[in-house]
Amino acid sequence: MLTPKQIVEQLDRFIVGQDEAKRQVAIALRNRYRRSKLSPELREEITPKNIIMMGPTGVGKTEIARRLAKLVEAPFVKVEATKFTEVGYVGRDVDSMVRDLVEASIRLCKQRELERVRFMAEAAAEQRLVDLLLNDDSGKKHGARHNIFGLPILLASGENAQKEPEPSEEEKQSRKQKRESVKESLAKGELENEMVTVEVSESANGSDAMLAMGIDLDLNEMFGGMLPKKKKQRKVPVSEARRILIAEESDKLIDMDEVTRTAVERAEQDGIIFIDEIDKIAAAGMTGGPDVSREGVQRDILPIVEGSTVNTKYGPVKTDYMLFIAAGAFHVAKVSDLIPELQGRFPIRVRLSALTADDYERILTQPENAVIKQYTALLETDNIKLTFDEGAKRAIAEAAFNANETTENIGARRLHTIIENLLDDISFNAGGEYPMTEVLIDKTYVESHLDLAKTAEDLHKYII
């Protein structure tokens, strides 16, 4: 487990500035590890200290929470507080955030198990590919037939009960040589475009209307797996068939009951729920109109944050030890406008500062996913090698800062908007038909294409 200093160092790779916020989330994450080392009796008494982050949009609130969860491979889900409404109003039930977290935990744990059995699954899939390429269905000749309920038909008589004759030694040797030859060709990648027919199961998903209401029903689960899965034949290249077969073999090798048990436990003990736009449900000192609904949403969220048990299709899930990180711009409302009970459940408060021109310049190049690195890599696929000099970077940073100061402040997202406008001509004309071409973006190019001398009103074109 990383120390708080190491966590901050990892966050610095992707997020510029906001040192206080990084420090607080690093301590909260380390405290989880410390709690896991305590005796079970004492561990039950210690709950996570939830965090509320205040700051304008685009300064890194969501990115901090998302990267934090990635560092420790913790189940993570982001929800918008404005999607939840009181009972009787149109909107999602607040319990859905816990169900979404459990689903994220299931995916995380299943992916880990799939990686563990991948080697065995690939070997089994390769054998099935050889069978398909040779049209060798000898392994299926003795398979049991099933009735409409998926139950095996045990009775057989007459000719159906007779066994197939055993192949001769010559036939066995010939079949073995053919299989070895096909295996060798597969290993060399010579058969990737050969067409084979595979049998795949059709997944019966719920209707869109039911999913929109948060109802996710699997009829096969309801009937305990008694209903046979619908199968269909697909003719696909070997490369696609391999992917399908590896997925099927992997599912056979993992124990989904164990995955589910582990996933629920991880969701309860390590889960992180990020509640964004919490300031939008804070009532700013008014008692009528939509504020009634806003306060109702807060009271619905309160039991989840306090600690309760939510029923999911995987069983009851406790929220007592989940870490909740709330965030909002709080331009109009204040944290004190939240109901007192909810305020008390977020004891750690961090204010994120607005970005400066220097911050924008660092965001352009410093993080591992820096904006300029992204656009340079994109255009290099079409034989355009972009180079930004220091003057250009500073001009772009100042343009972003001035646009945010004079119009709506959308934070670092402004950089994407400005660079899209800056590279509009290059992106449109690049088609990859010419050899590698170097293009230098300097301060003069930026000023001429963005026309930074325009008035503040003209900067509205950069608003997303």
Side-chain angles (χ1 to χ4, degrees):
M1 176 62 190
L2 300 174
T3 65
K5 286 184 179 178
Q6 290 171 332
I7 293 171
V8 170
E9 287 172 4
Q10 292 296 317
L11 293 175
D12 284 340
R13 294 167 52 202
F14 302 98
I15 303 153
V16 169
Q18 314 304 351
D19 295 333
E20 182 60 26
K22 293 174 185 173
R23 181 187 179 95
Q24 292 296 342
V25 296
I27 292 171
L29 199 63
R30 182 67 184 186
N31 280 339
R32 286 192 147 194
Y33 171 75
R34 292 164 179 157
R35 174 180 170 271
S36 69
K37 294 295 183 182
L38 300 176
S39 63
E41 296 78 14
L42 188 54
R43 194 187 311 154
E44 290 292 319
E45 301 298 323
I46 298 176
T47 56
K49 302 303 179 283
N50 299 321
I51 302 167
I52 190 163
M53 295 193 286
M54 302 162 283
T57 184
V59 296
K61 299 188 294 293
T62 305
E63 191 69 5
I64 285 174
R66 191 168 64 86
R67 293 291 176 184
L68 192 71
K70 265 191 170 182
L71 278 179
V72 291
E73 295 184 348
F76 173 80
V77 66
K78 177 193 172 186
V79 296
E80 308 288 336
T82 49
K83 287 185 179 179
F84 303 118
T85 55
E86 280 185 291
V87 177
Y89 290 82
V90 176
R92 295 189 71 190
D93 180 9
V94 292
D95 290 354
S96 63
M97 70 172 79
V98 179
R99 297 190 189 100
D100 290 345
L101 182 70
V102 175
E103 292 289 350
S105 186
I106 293 279
R107 288 194 297 271
L108 200 66
C109 292
K110 185 177 179 181
Q111 186 59 40
R112 182 176 293 178
E113 282 296 296
L114 290 175
E115 290 297 326
R116 186 180 64 82
V117 302
R118 184 167 185 82
F119 180 76
M120 291 182 287
E122 286 177 348
E126 203 75 7
Q127 293 295 329
R128 289 180 62 185
L129 268 179
V130 173
D131 291 339
L132 291 172
L133 287 164
L134 291 172
N135 292 319
D136 184 0
D137 57 352
S138 58
K140 297 179 182 178
K141 288 180 181 177
H142 305 293
R145 295 190 296 126
H146 293 76
N147 63 18
I148 59 171
F149 297 107
L151 301 175
I153 298 175
L154 302 177
L155 299 177
S157 60
E159 295 180 357
N160 292 332
Q162 294 179 2
K163 292 184 178 180
E164 293 287 335
E166 287 291 328
S168 64
E169 286 299 322
E170 290 81 1
E171 289 174 333
K172 287 181 180 179
Q173 191 63 27
S174 174
R175 182 180 296 170
K176 184 178 179 182
Q177 289 175 354
K178 285 181 181 178
R179 291 181 69 84
E180 290 300 325
S181 174
V182 171
K183 272 186 183 180
E184 190 177 337
S185 298
L186 274 175
K188 292 178 180 177
E190 296 172 352
L191 304 176
E192 294 300 291
N193 296 322
E194 289 290 320
M195 301 299 288
V196 292
T197 302
V198 294
E199 193 176 58
V200 296
S201 301
E202 288 186 350
S203 57
N205 297 322
S207 68
D208 292 341
M210 292 173 68
L211 291 173
M213 293 186 291
I215 302 171
D216 184 11
L217 291 179
D218 188 334
L219 293 177
N220 201 38
E221 283 185 6
M222 289 177 63
F223 289 100
M226 289 180 62
L227 295 177
K229 290 185 178 179
K230 292 178 69 176
K231 301 272 189 177
K232 67 176 181 180
Q233 302 282 340
R234 283 185 62 194
K235 198 163 182 124
V236 294
V238 165
S239 55
E240 176 68 7
R242 182 183 287 106
R243 185 189 64 79
I244 295 169
L245 296 176
I246 288 175
E248 285 186 6
E249 294 299 326
S250 298
D251 286 339
K252 293 176 187 175
L253 291 167
I254 63 176
D255 182 356
M256 276 309 296
D257 290 335
E258 179 62 22
V259 168
T260 300
R261 187 194 65 76
T262 305
V264 169
E265 183 180 349
R266 288 210 65 195
E268 290 180 336
Q269 301 296 326
D270 303 327
I272 300 174
I273 295 181
F274 182 78
I275 307 175
D276 202 7
E277 295 186 354
I278 198 167
D279 57 318
K280 303 296 191 299
I281 60 168
M286 296 166 60
T287 56
D291 292 322
V292 177
S293 179
R294 290 174 186 168
E295 186 171 319
V297 176
Q298 293 181 57
R299 294 196 180 279
D300 286 344
I301 290 175
L302 182 61
I304 305 291
V305 180
E306 279 184 329
S308 58
T309 301
V310 175
N311 289 319
T312 71
K313 66 181 181 182
Y314 304 105
V317 177
K318 294 173 67 176
T319 68
D320 301 65
Y321 306 109
M322 295 176 183
L323 176 65
F324 291 87
I325 302 176
F330 289 98
H331 289 313
V332 179
K334 303 185 292 291
V335 175
S336 56
D337 291 325
L338 295 169
I339 59 175
E341 298 91 334
L342 194 58
Q343 291 181 48
R345 289 294 164 178
F346 289 91
I348 302 175
R349 298 180 187 179
V350 183
R351 183 168 292 281
L352 283 79
S353 56
L355 299 173
T356 64
D358 290 338
D359 290 332
Y360 290 121
E361 190 172 358
R362 290 166 61 198
I363 290 170
L364 283 172
T365 55
Q366 182 177 305
E368 290 192 9
N369 59 340
V371 177
I372 284 180
K373 292 178 185 176
Q374 294 177 27
Y375 283 93
T376 301
L378 282 172
L379 285 171
E380 197 162 349
T381 62
D382 274 332
N383 296 334
I384 301 292
K385 188 173 183 180
L386 284 180
T387 305
F388 291 77
D389 69 9
E390 295 303 317
K393 295 171 190 174
R394 188 65 192 180
I396 294 169
E398 288 177 352
F401 177 76
N402 291 332
N404 281 336
E405 287 292 304
T406 54
T407 59
E408 293 293 330
N409 186 354
I410 59 173
R413 296 183 181 94
R414 180 78 64 187
L415 291 171
H416 288 280
T417 314
I418 288 178
I419 291 186
E420 283 289 347
N421 281 275
L422 182 67
L423 302 178
D424 181 72
D425 288 340
I426 297 173
S427 297
F428 182 79
N429 291 304
E433 63 269 21
Y434 300 108
M436 186 65 73
T437 306
E438 293 192 13
V439 177
L440 173 66
I441 308 294
D442 56 14
K443 184 178 180 180
T444 305
Y445 183 94
V446 174
E447 289 176 344
S448 62
H449 282 72
L450 295 183
D451 201 357
L452 302 180
K454 288 188 177 181
T455 59
E457 287 76 10
D458 292 327
L459 290 171
H460 278 83
K461 77 181 217 178
Y462 300 118
I463 297 177
I464 293 176

